[in-house]
Amino acid sequence: MERDSELKDRAARVIPGGMYGHMSVLKRMPPEYPQFFERAEGCHLWDVNGNEYIDYMCSYGPMIAGYANPRIRAAADAQRAQMDIANGPAPVIVDLAERLVDQVSHAEWAMFAKNGNDATTICVMCARARSDKPVILVAKGAYHGAQPWANYMSKGTPTDEHQYFQPYEFNNVTSLDEAASKVHGRLAGIIVSAFRHDAGHHQELTDPKFAHRVREICDHEEAALILDDVRAGLRLSLDASWSALGVNPDLSAWGKGIANGEPLAAVLGNELYREAMTKIFVTGSFWYQAAPMAAAIETLDVLNEVNGPQLMERLGQQLRDGLYEQAQRHGHGIIQSGPPQMPTLMFEDDHRAETGIAFCGLAAKEGVYLHPWHNMFLSTAHTEDDIGRTLEATDEAFRKLG
């Protein structure tokens, strides 16, 4: 990794730790993984050393319809050439809000920001503004962003920051009931993920009984059901991810794939929370950028035309079936969890992910970029040919793993 190593050395001198956040490959990732890339197209990446990979991380989710998708890029570029930011937003902000309200069943209004962090925080503020109550229930281990109220993993956040966030166990109705009972009369909202996708753990699809119980508690307490759809939004459904369970949130947070990599997040809400949203002040210098909004409209068009969630599910299941057959044949115990379009692949009795790290390193040498302990992502740019080539590579990786 000649050029990659050179860039790592340079980065170590000017970037704390050499790289930060979820993009760093320096912690618990295969040593074969490059830190820097120079080109991306479709579902393929090329690192700075010229190696090509079929990618199953999709920039950790934002890429949903293919890197450099020509239609989406053209829409963004056309808007950018006309106007991106100014003293007020472009008309496309209204176009996108109308489009989301039409498409997402619980939504009666929309507003926009930049990151999932922004969207989940706005939802929490809106819930508190309407209820005039402080407490939010949050699942243990769930990730709702790196902002202080949601960040339990790092230094720099006082413990007092979390005093109004009561924990519960996802999919555990008893735990949920107990948490809600402790804060009866002070509950502003319950924030939930589309399903349990905690990093480093096997994923759990949402139990419908749990989802309906969340709705019941929120209705009883006059609290907001907040759906964090930042990671799963538009991959599980063209509607909000809990719509298939027959449960509508009051507020939902969106990001990642909503604009296929253009920087955009959204908050959608129902009529009950419209006035509350007008009572809080949130803004950002770049929140009103027009080009990402144009990209989002085109992204929605692309996903609706091909039924993106269904396509990604079918291809993800092909990959899952192939990996299972290979693992069985080569004598390896694997655990595949989560929805096929957002799969997690882990090895049995591999609590430190050492086998998973070794396997992913071998797959990378064969031209496939996987992840040993985080959920992965399919996109509409993946094809059956990509799945076939991936399985050829993973078959070789299983063989070499011994």
Side-chain angles (χ1 to χ4, degrees):
M1 288 194 170
E2 298 172 0
R3 190 176 174 210
D4 192 74
S5 296
E6 176 192 353
L7 285 165
K8 284 180 180 176
D9 290 342
R10 290 168 56 192
R13 292 192 289 270
V14 293
I15 298 173
M19 192 51 60
Y20 49 91
H22 65 292
M23 290 289 179
S24 174
V25 298
L26 301 177
K27 296 179 180 180
R28 294 187 67 202
M29 292 295 281
E32 296 86 353
Y33 274 34
Q35 180 65 80
F36 298 95
F37 296 87
E38 64 181 1
R39 189 159 73 90
E41 183 177 350
C43 66
H44 294 250
L45 291 173
W46 288 261
D47 66 27
V48 293
N49 293 326
N51 299 305
E52 180 181 355
Y53 307 89
I54 301 173
D55 178 30
Y56 288 93
M57 288 310 296
C58 299
S59 190
Y60 284 77
M63 187 281 276
I64 195 169
Y67 293 114
N69 182 291
R71 285 177 53 182
I72 298 169
R73 174 175 282 184
D77 288 346
Q79 178 62 60
R80 190 175 287 113
Q82 184 175 346
M83 188 197 95
D84 194 16
I85 57 174
N87 295 351
V92 69
I93 193 172
V94 180
D95 297 336
L96 178 55
E98 289 175 339
R99 179 63 184 275
L100 288 168
V101 168
D102 286 343
Q103 179 161 325
V104 178
S105 56
H106 83 90
E108 296 178 271
W109 53 263
M111 64 173 295
F112 304 100
K114 280 295 159 198
N115 288 290
N117 287 349
D118 304 325
T120 54
T121 299
I122 292 168
C123 286
V124 167
M125 292 175 67
C126 185
R128 287 171 167 165
R130 180 176 184 269
S131 67
D132 222 12
K133 299 171 185 176
V135 179
I136 305 290
L137 300 191
V138 184
K140 297 175 184 177
Y143 183 81
H144 298 294
Q147 65 276 27
W149 71 261
N151 192 340
Y152 294 80
M153 299 184 295
S154 68
K155 291 184 178 294
T157 302
T159 54
D160 288 351
E161 193 78 43
H162 304 134
Q163 63 178 316
Y164 293 116
F165 293 89
Q166 178 74 28
Y168 67 91
E169 294 180 10
F170 193 86
N171 265 348
N172 186 325
V173 171
T174 300
S175 172
L176 178 69
D177 284 341
E178 290 174 352
S181 178
K182 289 178 182 178
V183 297
H184 174 64
R186 298 190 298 135
L187 184 62
I190 303 176
I191 187 167
V192 296
S193 302
F195 59 96
R196 187 184 180 200
H197 46 56
D198 308 355
H201 298 274
H202 305 306
Q203 298 181 82
E204 293 179 23
L205 300 183
T206 302
D207 184 339
K209 292 180 180 178
F210 170 79
H212 283 274
R213 184 57 182 154
V214 176
R215 181 71 271 173
E216 289 171 1
I217 293 172
C218 288
D219 290 343
H220 178 71
E221 295 280 347
E222 296 186 341
L225 197 171
I226 303 168
L227 175 63
D228 180 352
D229 234 349
V230 171
R231 194 181 303 190
L234 300 176
R235 277 192 163 88
L236 303 190
S237 172
L238 293 170
D239 199 342
S241 291
W242 273 23
S243 61
L245 303 175
V247 176
N248 277 330
D250 298 296
L251 301 166
S252 58
W254 302 70
K256 290 195 182 289
I258 194 172
N260 197 48
E262 290 282 344
L264 187 69
V267 172
L268 307 183
N270 63 23
E271 195 62 35
L272 288 174
Y273 287 82
R274 182 190 297 270
E275 184 179 356
M277 187 58 77
T278 69
K279 294 180 179 179
I280 66 174
F281 180 78
V282 289
T283 193
S285 297
F286 304 104
W287 284 17
Y288 306 89
Q289 271 186 289
M293 296 178 189
I297 292 173
E298 195 66 29
T299 299
L300 292 173
D301 285 344
V302 169
L303 295 177
N304 276 276
E305 287 168 13
V306 299
N307 194 336
Q310 187 178 84
L311 173 61
M312 289 181 274
E313 181 179 23
R314 178 174 60 80
L315 292 171
Q317 190 61 50
Q318 289 180 12
L319 177 63
R320 176 168 289 180
D321 292 344
L323 290 170
Y324 175 77
E325 185 278 327
Q326 291 174 353
Q328 291 288 102
R329 177 160 42 83
H330 288 283
H332 295 287
I334 62 171
I335 300 170
Q336 300 187 82
S337 61
Q341 55 271 62
M342 294 177 63
T344 293
L345 170 64
M346 302 176 79
F347 284 76
E348 293 178 354
D349 301 318
D350 188 30
H351 304 297
R352 296 179 58 85
E354 293 173 348
T355 305
I357 289 170
F359 174 76
C360 288
L362 291 168
K365 289 182 178 180
E366 300 296 325
V368 172
Y369 197 104
L370 305 171
H371 202 292
W373 46 266
H374 191 287
N375 78 271
M376 296 176 281
F377 299 87
L378 274 288
S379 75
T380 62
H382 287 88
T383 65
E384 291 188 1
D385 181 64
D386 291 313
I387 301 299
R389 290 172 58 190
T390 296
L391 291 172
E392 291 176 3
T394 54
D395 195 39
E396 184 65 11
F398 275 121
R399 185 185 70 79
K400 290 181 178 178
L401 192 61

